[in-house]
C-alpha cells in the first residue's frame, strides 16, 4: 500500500534524488537545490545543503540536485546540475564545492560511488570517469584509454577490476597495472551500447545493452557467453540489471521485466498483465528484506 508523503518541514517542490543514508534514514535532493535528511523514526528533517548555501557556491541561479551519496566517513556528496559536486563534512561543518576549477573534468555529474579503497568515483555526462583520491582527481577519458566518454554503468569484478559500460562497448580497468582493456565487439551482440552491468555470486559479469539484449562474461574462462534462453524472452532494449541475494538475475527492459534463476536456470517474465503498472522499466533495487523495487518510466514504482 502506498501513502502520500508530505511531512511538515520538507522543502516544497519536486524531488529529484533519493538515497538511503548509512544509518538507514533517507537523503532527499530537491529541484530547488536543497538537500535534506529525513529521520524515519522521528519524522523530522535535517537541512544538509540549503538554497542559500548552494547559491553562495555557484554564484548564480539555483541548480537542481541530480544525485546524493553518503560515503563511509559520513560525508554527504550532492551533485548540483551544471555546477559540480558539493561535499558536506558534518564533523567539521564544512562545505566544499568541486568543479572544473579544482579538478573535475566536467561540472555535470550523473552518479557517485565509493570503491573499496575509499576513493570517490564520479560518472560524468560525456567526459568519462573522475576519481577523487584524497583531495586530488584522476580522470579517465578516451584520450587516456577509455573506449568512449559516455559512461552508463560501472561495476567491480571479483579480481577488483573496474568495468565501464559505455555507448561504444566495454572498458575494463586493471588498477594494479593501470591499463585499459577495451571490447568494441561484445560476444555476438549487434549493439555495443552497454546500459547495465551486474556481477553474480560466481563472479561472472552480466552485460545489458540498448538494442542487443544480454550477454554474460565468464570470468573463470575469460570469454563472453551467449544467453540464448534469456534473450529469447526479453526485448532488445535493456535498461537495468540486478542480481539479488538469491542469485537471481532481474532484467529491466523497455517492454517488461524478466527474471532468471542463476542456480536452476528457470525463467520468468512480468508485464502489465502480471500486475506491473507499466512495461517500460527504468531501474531496479533490492532492499534488506529481499523485496525488489521496480521503477517505471511513466507509471511510478512497483514492489515485488
Amino acid at each position: 500500500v502506498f501513502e502520500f508523503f508530505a511531512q511538515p518541514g520538507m522543502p516544497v517542490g519536486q524531488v529529484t534524488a533519493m538515497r538511503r543514508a548509512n544509518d538507514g534514514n533517507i537523503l532527499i535532493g530537491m529541484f530547488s537545490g536543497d538537500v535534506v535528511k529525513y529521520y524515519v523514526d522521528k519524522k523530522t528533517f535535517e537541512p544538509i545543503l540549503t538554497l542559500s548555501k548552494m547559491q553562495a557556491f555557484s554564484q548564480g541561479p539555483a541548480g537542481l540536485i541530480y544525485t546524493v551519496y553518503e560515503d563511509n566517513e559520513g560525508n554527504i556528496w550532492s551533485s548540483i546540475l551544471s555546477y559540480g559536486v558539493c561535499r558536506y563534512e558534518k564533523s567539521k561543518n564544512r562545505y566544499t564545492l568541486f568543479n572544473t576549477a579544482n579538478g573535475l573534468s566536467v561540472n555535470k555529474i550523473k552518479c557517485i560511488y565509493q570503491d573499496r579503497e575509499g576513493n570517490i568515483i564520479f560518472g560524468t555526462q560525456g567526459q568519462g570517469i573522475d576519481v577523487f583520491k584524497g583531495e586530488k582527481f584522476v580522470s579517465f577519458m578516451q584520450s587516456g584509454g577509455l573506449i568512449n566518454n559516455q559512461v552508463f554503468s560501472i561495476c567491480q569484478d571479483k579480481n577488483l577490476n573496474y568495468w565501464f559500460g559505455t555507448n561504444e562497448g566495454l572498458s575494463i580497468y586493471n588498477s594494479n597495472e593501470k591499463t585499459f582493456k577495451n571490447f568494441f565487439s561484445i560476444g555476438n551482440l549487434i549493439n555495443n551500447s552497454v546500459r547495465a552491468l551486474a556481477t553474480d555470486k560466481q563472479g561472472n559479469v552480466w552485460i545489458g545493452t540498448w538494442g542487443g539484449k544480454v550477454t554474460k562474461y565468464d570470468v573463470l574462462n575469460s570469454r563472453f557467453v551467449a544467453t540464448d534462453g534469456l534473450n529469447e524472452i526479453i526485448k532488445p532494449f535493456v535498461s537495468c540489471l540486478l542480481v539479488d541475494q538469491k542469485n537471481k538475475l532481474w532484467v529491466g527492459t523497455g517492454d517488461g521485466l524478466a527474471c532468471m534463476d542463476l542456480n536452476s536456470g528457470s525463467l520468468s517474465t512480468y508485464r502489465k498483465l502480471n500486475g506491473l503498472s507499466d512495461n517500460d522499466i527504468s531501474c531496479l533495487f533490492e532492499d534488506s528484506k529481499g523485496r525488489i523495487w521496480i521503477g517505471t518510466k511513466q507509471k511510478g514504482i512497483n514492489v515485488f
Side-chain angles (χ1 to χ4, degrees), residues 139-175:
S139 297
F140 297 99
M141 293 184 284
Q142 277 184 278
S143 57
L146 192 68
I147 197 169
N148 181 260
N149 282 339
Q150 186 68 55
V151 178
F152 291 111
S153 51
I154 306 171
C155 77
Q156 190 174 29
D157 66 25
K158 67 177 184 179
N159 297 320
L160 306 186
N161 298 313
Y162 295 95
W163 291 60
F164 301 111
T166 81
N167 205 38
E168 293 185 4
L170 277 169
S171 285
I172 304 174
Y173 181 70
N174 186 311
S175 55

Side-chain angles (χ1 to χ4, degrees), residues 262-275:
L262 300 180
N263 300 314
S264 67
S266 64
L267 296 164
S268 305
T269 58
Y270 304 94
R271 304 181 80 254
K272 288 178 68 175
L273 58 88
N274 304 108

Side-chain angles (χ1 to χ4, degrees), residues 138-271:
V138 176
S139 297
F140 297 99
M141 293 184 284
Q142 277 184 278
S143 57
L146 192 68
I147 197 169
N148 181 260
N149 282 339
Q150 186 68 55
V151 178
F152 291 111
S153 51
I154 306 171
C155 77
Q156 190 174 29
D157 66 25
K158 67 177 184 179
N159 297 320
L160 306 186
N161 298 313
Y162 295 95
W163 291 60
F164 301 111
T166 81
N167 205 38
E168 293 185 4
L170 277 169
S171 285
I172 304 174
Y173 181 70
N174 186 311
S175 55
N176 293 321
E177 299 177 1
K178 302 192 183 314
T179 56
F180 280 102
K181 183 177 182 180
N182 292 325
F183 292 94
F184 292 91
S185 178
I186 304 169
N188 60 353
L189 298 184
I190 60 173
N191 192 306
N192 291 326
S193 179
V194 179
R195 296 300 178 92
L197 294 167
T199 57
D200 63 25
K201 293 188 181 299
Q202 287 74 42
N204 301 308
V205 180
W206 293 83
I207 305 155
T209 67
W210 193 251
K213 300 190 178 184
V214 175
T215 192
K216 180 179 79 170
Y217 185 78
D218 183 337
V219 173
L220 183 63
N221 295 301
S222 301
R223 63 189 181 96
F224 292 102
V225 179
T227 55
D228 295 336
L230 175 63
N231 283 340
E232 286 177 4
I233 65 169
I234 64 172
K235 296 297 182 179
F237 298 96
V238 176
S239 54
C240 47
L241 296 174
L242 169 72
V243 177
D244 68 16
Q245 299 170 23
K246 297 178 181 178
N247 208 31
K248 293 182 178 180
L249 173 69
W250 295 82
V251 182
T253 76
D255 191 20
L257 180 69
C259 180
M260 179 178 181
D261 189 321
L262 300 180
N263 300 314
S264 67
S266 64
L267 296 164
S268 305
T269 58
Y270 304 94
R271 304 181 80 254

Side-chain angles (χ1 to χ4, degrees), residues 262-304:
L262 300 180
N263 300 314
S264 67
S266 64
L267 296 164
S268 305
T269 58
Y270 304 94
R271 304 181 80 254
K272 288 178 68 175
L273 58 88
N274 304 108
L276 280 176
S277 62
D278 189 56
N279 289 332
D280 198 346
I281 310 301
S282 56
C283 54
L284 296 165
F285 174 76
E286 182 185 22
D287 65 22
S288 60
K289 296 180 181 179
R291 295 174 297 194
I292 307 300
W293 294 72
I294 304 156
T296 69
K297 196 168 185 179
Q298 298 288 341
K299 297 291 180 67
I301 301 168
N302 302 262
V303 183
F304 185 80

Side-chain angles (χ1 to χ4, degrees), residues 49 54 63-66 78-86 97 107:
L49 180 61
M54 197 274 293
L64 68 87
I65 302 300
Y66 197 94
S78 306
S79 169
I80 308 167
L81 187 65
S82 300
Y83 291 114
V85 178
C86 176
L97 182 67
N107 288 334

